[in-house]
Amino acid sequence: MRPPTERKSYWGEYLVALVICLVAQLVLAVAYGRLESRMEIGMRNRLESNLFGKLMRSKLDERNSMHSADLINRLEQDVPVVTGMLCREMPYVASGICQLLGAFFFLYSMEPYLAFIMVGLTPVAMVVSRIF
């Protein structure tokens, strides 16, 4: 008869892996925020510079159709909206579309009928959730 084998405990290794993952998540979140801010500020500065340069190079009679406060308002309010959409909203939309397509193909590989049922029911559920 063989002696019972002892089971090795891995809780220490799992704990180290968990700490490494948490630290990596924190570092990547900080790096992502910094990169996103730098990209948005750089794009905003370039767009404002280009618009201001075009306004200064335009003919005087073309500029008189708009009041100077309207031009400043456009530069101060519209540029941040456009850069925010391009730098923040568009990547989130693209990521969401990729995730939805991946989930659909994953469900389709397991059960095609279920994938098509989910695609059909999702818009209905969204409309019903808006009502209530």
Side-chain angles (χ1 to χ4, degrees), residues 13-39:
E13 295 170 6
Y14 292 144
L15 185 63
V16 169
L18 177 67
V19 169
I20 289 172
C21 287
L22 289 174
V23 169
Q25 182 180 10
L26 181 65
V27 168
L28 290 175
V30 169
Y32 176 77
R34 182 169 167 81
L35 181 63
E36 183 182 38
S37 296
R38 286 181 60 130
M39 274 184 26

Side-chain angles (χ1 to χ4, degrees), residues 16-126:
V16 169
L18 177 67
V19 169
I20 289 172
C21 287
L22 289 174
V23 169
Q25 182 180 10
L26 181 65
V27 168
L28 290 175
V30 169
Y32 176 77
R34 182 169 167 81
L35 181 63
E36 183 182 38
S37 296
R38 286 181 60 130
M39 274 184 26
E40 185 176 352
I41 290 169
M43 184 177 203
R44 183 180 301 160
N45 289 342
R46 283 191 305 273
L47 189 57
E48 284 177 353
S49 174
N50 289 342
L51 286 174
F52 186 73
K54 286 180 183 180
L55 286 173
M56 290 295 108
R57 287 187 299 271
S58 67
K59 293 182 182 175
L60 185 60
D61 53 343
E62 290 175 2
R63 277 188 280 168
N64 287 336
S65 64
M66 293 182 74
H67 195 271
S68 62
D70 292 334
L71 297 174
I72 292 173
N73 186 32
R74 291 289 178 200
L75 283 174
E76 289 297 318
Q77 291 181 356
D78 291 349
V79 170
V81 170
V82 170
T83 55
M85 185 196 70
L86 290 175
C87 291
R88 274 191 244 136
E89 307 304 323
M90 293 301 286
Y92 288 138
V93 168
S95 174
I97 289 171
C98 289
Q99 288 176 351
L100 287 173
L101 286 174
F104 173 76
F105 287 122
F106 179 71
L107 279 175
Y108 186 81
S109 69
M110 292 191 310
E111 182 63 41
Y113 297 117
L114 179 63
F116 288 115
I117 289 172
M118 292 304 293
V119 167
L121 286 179
T122 300
V124 173
M126 290 174 70

